[in-house]
Amino acid sequence: MRCFVAKAAEMLSLCPMSHISSKPVIGITCGDLNGIGIELIIKTFSDQRMLDQCTPVIYASSRTINFYRKQLNEYPLNFQILRDFQRLQSKHVYVYNCWEEEVNITPGQLTEAGGQFAIRALKTAVDHARKGWIQGLVTAPIHKANTHSADFPYTGHTGFLREAFEVPDVLMLMIADDLKIGVVTEHIPISDVASAITAQAIAGKIDILRKSLMRDFAIEMPRIAVLGLNPHAGDDGHIGTEEKTMIAPLIQSLRQQDMMVFGPYSADTFFARAQYRYFHAVLAMYHDQGLIPFKSLTQEPGVNFTAGLPIVRTSPDHGTAFDIAGKNQADPSSFRQAIFACIDILRNRVIYDESTRNPLKKSELQSE
């Protein structure tokens, strides 16, 4: 994706009315206060070169940032308190105070406060994104055990973002190198997977994936592989019939609409034989079917991208890592890559939108 940055910057310089500048404002949520999120933020933005790519706004509190900054003396993070988005300037790291009260921070511990304030930061950032004050969103990890509540009835970021931006569906898409894997079902028990796999659900995810590959990743004619639900993709109906009665007919229907969708493939041989190399993206039926091979095969840090949203949201491909929180052991590579991915996707969208705005009809070109 980094290869598109120079081209995008040139395009942006020619389009002053574009909705995003060459250095977009990226909102960074702190995640669980007792996890590794803030350590990742400090390590990432202590490198001044990051400010050549974006203007970061960290959603947390200055006291919380300072708590961890004192423990990370070798990572000198300088920041300014942001009160007015009209006063944003380049080459600065900003912190937006989402709360003023003192919070007891206990790195590595699962506490109610750690989750509550993480959600407060998230909701504030999403509100600002809906107002257009930030163009992209990178979220540090939260923990379901202390965030799920009556005020936040979600198993993670994805469901909340879908409802917050009022879109009918989104796709959890894992990206790294040239490997992109989406999932039909996300964080649900394996016992509920089969009933959640419907032709409508698969078709909806394929539609989001195809459009995202074109607009977000600059792939003009995306090739998509679809995995089967059952072992050996049902083995011609002997180990389940979903492939034969639902998935294969759906794929055939989409092929007749000139979509390059293939499958269903047996998940084990598909990855063992590296068949994924022949496709731009893979659609898995459930979480572990997609994420286990993704995390096993990728050499570079992975990124979780929520396709289908009007804004760009990415996150690292790991959790809160309480076991190493507060010990200066967290590796910021995936978090940094999530920021780069967010920036690249934003710029790819500008190129795509500019190139497809009000296209002349072929008949009009031929008549001239």
Side-chain angles (χ1 to χ4, degrees):
M1 288 187 294
R2 304 300 299 164
C3 62
F4 292 100
V5 173
K7 182 179 178 181
E10 179 181 359
M11 175 76 74
L12 289 164
S13 68
L14 298 174
C15 305
M17 297 304 292
S18 175
H19 71 284
I20 179 174
S21 68
S22 58
K23 288 176 59 176
V25 180
I26 306 296
I28 314 289
T29 61
C30 60
D32 193 295
L33 303 193
N34 299 319
I36 62 172
I38 297 176
E39 179 179 332
L40 299 177
I41 293 170
I42 292 173
K43 287 181 175 179
T44 298
F45 290 107
S46 63
D47 186 340
Q48 290 293 305
R49 293 174 297 179
M50 294 297 296
L51 301 182
D52 293 333
Q53 300 295 322
C54 68
T55 300
V57 177
I58 302 168
Y59 288 85
S61 77
S62 56
R63 291 176 179 175
T64 305
I65 300 297
N66 283 330
F67 175 88
Y68 282 97
R69 192 168 61 163
K70 292 177 182 177
Q71 300 180 4
L72 301 166
N73 293 326
E74 67 269 39
Y75 297 98
L77 176 70
N78 297 313
F79 64 84
Q80 295 188 15
I81 304 298
L82 176 62
R83 296 182 176 86
D84 183 358
F85 277 82
Q86 297 298 320
R87 297 181 179 274
L88 278 175
Q89 297 180 7
S90 299
K91 295 290 186 179
H92 290 298
V93 176
Y94 290 95
V95 172
Y96 188 90
N97 281 319
C98 300
W99 61 87
E100 296 293 342
E101 54 264 56
E102 286 278 1
V103 181
N104 186 28
I105 301 173
T106 53
Q109 300 299 313
L110 182 66
T111 67
E112 184 177 356
Q116 285 181 345
F117 286 95
I119 297 306
R120 189 181 299 188
L122 173 64
K123 289 183 175 180
T124 303
V126 167
D127 177 60
H128 290 180
R130 294 177 64 179
K131 292 175 179 176
W133 295 351
I134 59 175
Q135 285 80 52
L137 179 64
V138 179
T139 58
I142 59 176
H143 198 288
K144 298 171 186 62
N146 63 0
T147 56
H148 191 274
S149 66
D151 293 330
F152 193 83
Y154 310 98
T155 58
H157 289 95
T158 307
F160 168 71
L161 292 169
R162 180 179 61 244
E163 290 195 11
F165 289 98
E166 300 178 341
V167 293
D169 199 8
V170 294
L171 173 71
M172 178 179 172
L173 182 61
M174 306 301 296
I175 58 177
D177 301 323
D178 294 327
L179 182 60
K180 300 176 180 65
I181 302 181
V183 292
V184 178
T185 60
E186 299 159 8
H187 299 112
I188 64 173
I190 196 70
S191 59
D192 296 337
V193 167
S195 61
I197 300 296
T198 65
Q200 182 179 6
I202 298 171
K205 300 295 186 181
I206 291 175
D207 182 59
I208 296 172
L209 178 56
R210 180 173 173 271
K211 290 177 179 176
S212 178
L213 291 171
M214 296 171 66
R215 185 178 183 225
D216 301 330
F217 299 97
I219 300 171
E220 186 175 355
M221 296 284 289
R223 298 188 304 275
I224 299 172
V226 179
L227 302 182
L229 171 64
N230 298 293
H232 306 297
D235 201 7
D236 200 27
H238 294 288
I239 317 176
T241 60
E242 286 87 353
E243 290 80 8
K244 195 172 185 179
T245 63
M246 176 176 60
I247 303 175
L250 171 62
I251 292 173
Q252 182 62 29
S253 174
L254 295 176
R255 292 285 300 278
Q256 292 173 355
Q257 300 174 45
D258 296 325
M259 298 184 191
M260 299 180 69
V261 182
F262 305 88
Y265 294 98
S266 175
D268 55 351
T269 56
F270 181 84
F271 290 107
R273 296 175 182 174
Q275 289 176 281
Y276 59 89
R277 298 182 184 275
Y278 300 103
F279 300 93
H280 293 111
V282 180
L283 183 67
M285 292 296 109
Y286 54 94
H287 184 280
D288 283 10
Q289 187 187 54
L291 268 69
I292 290 176
F294 176 83
K295 294 187 177 183
S296 300
L297 292 168
T298 52
Q299 300 299 315
E300 296 296 324
V303 174
N304 180 357
F305 168 54
T306 307
L309 292 173
I311 67 155
V312 177
R313 177 263 172 164
T314 61
S315 70
D317 68 346
H318 56 71
T320 53
F322 286 134
D323 57 323
I324 61 172
K327 299 178 181 179
N328 192 12
Q329 297 178 9
D331 182 355
S333 299
S334 180
F335 186 81
R336 187 185 304 114
Q337 195 61 33
I339 296 168
F340 288 147
C342 183
I343 296 167
D344 288 343
I345 293 170
L346 281 166
R347 291 173 174 169
N348 285 341
R349 285 187 178 186
V350 171
I351 294 174
Y352 181 87
D353 293 347
E354 291 294 334
S355 65
T356 57
R357 181 174 292 121
N358 298 323
L360 292 174
K361 296 180 180 179
K362 289 185 179 180
S363 58
E364 293 176 341
L365 291 172
Q366 294 169 351
S367 64
E368 294 182 355

